[in-house]
Amino acid sequence: MPALDWSQCSAVESVPGRLGGAWVFRGTRLPVATVIENLEDLSIDEVMEQFDVSREEIAAVLQFLNRV
């Protein structure tokens, strides 16, 4: 399976020197992978509370994942 082109998701960014260039939610240091992994066990509301990420940001990532 080819790597995802996260540059096509408006809610995330990769900044060289920030977390080793990992894809994070725009303007944060929160890795996208952390939220995705936690959504396996937590509800969206619980993830929003624990990681200070908005429902819209989570929705944008999930919509992107559903398109690929």
Side-chain angles (χ1 to χ4, degrees), residues 17 32 34 40:
V32 174
T34 299
E40 293 176 12

Side-chain angles (χ1 to χ4, degrees), residues 10-34:
S10 63
V12 302
E13 65 184 351
S14 175
V15 178
R18 185 187 303 161
L19 293 176
W23 287 97
V24 298
F25 283 88
R26 193 168 295 284
T28 75
R29 295 179 60 83
L30 176 60
V32 174
T34 299

